[in-house]
Amino acid sequence: MEIKELSEQIFPYVVGIRRALHSMPEPAYKEFKTSKYVFERLKEIGLKPANVYGTGVIADLETGKKGLNVAVRADMDALPIEEKTKLDFSSEIGGYMHACGHDGHMAIVIGLALLLTKIKDKLNGKIRFIFQPAEEKPPKGGASFLVEEGVLKDIDIILGFHIIPDIDVGKVGIIEGPAMAGCDEFIIKISGAGGHASAPEKTVDTILVASKIVSSLNDIVSRMISPFEPVVISCGEIKGGYAFNIIPDLVEIKGTVRTFNDDLRKKIPEIMKKIIYSIAESYGANVDFEYINCYPSLKNSPTVCQFLKEIAHTYLGKNSLVDMKPLMGSEDFSVYLEKVKGAYVFFGGKKGENLSLHSPYYDFDELVMRYAIHFFARAIHNINILAI
Ligand code: NI
């Protein structure tokens, strides 16, 4: 049977898995039931799964023949969101939801494992299925821990993916080279003698200092960095104050920095520090500045991308490729790509208008799973034409 027909044949099984996983969302590093469920399915397929870093699961399909060893990774964690979709298979765990589609990601990789097992005789090398906990958990997501545990051992190429809601089903987005931004976090604590708001001259106005800092951080992107460098510095949280007539003794700002250029990523904390400390000093405030490196920028291998584009063009259709620009969002799949060549692919899963990832209403068109399995099975079947 052809790979395409096989992907159609196993589709109802894959839908069942997706729905089961959707109903049992669990947060980062607590994917206990999820992990057990994935483990059981892989065993049923005839593989020998193993747990890695707690809730992570890996399984190898050994063809016994020489060839490139390929890994495919799915993320497992859900989000602390109360689901509002009213789907029959909605979350049964209060306060948590698979609002980023990781349920679909796991179902795709389980379906892929089943399909590839059926055509094992036609494959070469080793295929490793990686189920990774805690993608949504910067600063250190599950990928770093899995790499430390050796999941990339003997692997030549790694493939990752995300279902996204703004592209039609059947379409694929593949970005050659830098595809997603590096993500860092910062925390600024401004402190000083607070006091009565009617007598600011007797206080250190931490609110004013915080405002000046927020405003000046924006000058970094617009005035101190080349307009040809994509950088975002955003303050997402600001906390301080007790009442309308009190100048608080502490204001805390939290935010994120997104970059593509690794050198710039290293320089930005220094620039921020200078600005923050000089403003605080001018107003007599104390300041504490913490900068936390999270995920590096995600760099796809152009060679692997060109190969995958050819796969999409040939097997999913001439118009299946969509033109996608690099994204300022981040993903810890970048950690694997720092060690091994590979690519991160976007599959269209559009279901209605205005559905976004991380929304309590998020859902995707399940047909995307059939396309994704077909695509990856074809890619892995043909991968040995690549000279890596
Ligand atoms: Ni996600």
Side-chain angles (χ1 to χ4, degrees), residues 21-80:
L21 288 167
H22 189 87
S23 70
M24 54 164 109
E26 295 170 298
Y29 299 121
K30 292 187 178 149
E31 306 92 340
F32 305 115
K33 281 188 192 166
T34 309
S35 172
K36 199 163 170 271
Y37 183 87
V38 168
F39 195 99
E40 290 303 320
R41 298 295 80 72
L42 294 169
K43 236 167 77 179
E44 278 167 12
I45 292 168
L47 299 172
K48 290 187 183 122
N51 279 114
V52 55
Y53 200 73
T55 49
V57 183
I58 62 164
D60 285 353
L61 174 62
E62 304 270 3
T63 68
K65 283 175 276 172
K66 269 195 173 175
L68 291 171
N69 296 330
V70 188
V72 188
R73 170 273 211 168
D75 35 17
M76 306 167 79
D77 51 335
L79 290 156

Side-chain angles (χ1 to χ4, degrees), residues 73-111:
R73 170 273 211 168
D75 35 17
M76 306 167 79
D77 51 335
L79 290 156
I81 292 176
E82 190 70 45
E83 179 159 358
K84 294 184 181 166
T85 61
K86 297 201 170 77
L87 292 166
D88 292 346
F89 49 92
S90 283
S91 168
E92 287 168 9
I93 301 178
Y96 291 100
M97 174 191 175
H98 266 299
C100 200
H102 298 184
D103 49 338
H105 298 174
M106 288 182 276
I108 287 169
V109 178
I110 292 171

Side-chain angles (χ1 to χ4, degrees), residues 100 102 135-136 162:
C100 200
H102 298 184
E135 186 279 318
E136 309 267 8
H162 212 293

Side-chain angles (χ1 to χ4, degrees), residues 71 128 130 146-147 150-155 158 335-336 339-340:
R128 180 166 299 156
I130 302 176
L146 260 56
V147 169
V151 301
L152 292 180
K153 191 171 179 282
D154 304 328
I155 294 299
I158 185 159
V335 173
Y336 303 107
K339 309 274 177 202
V340 170

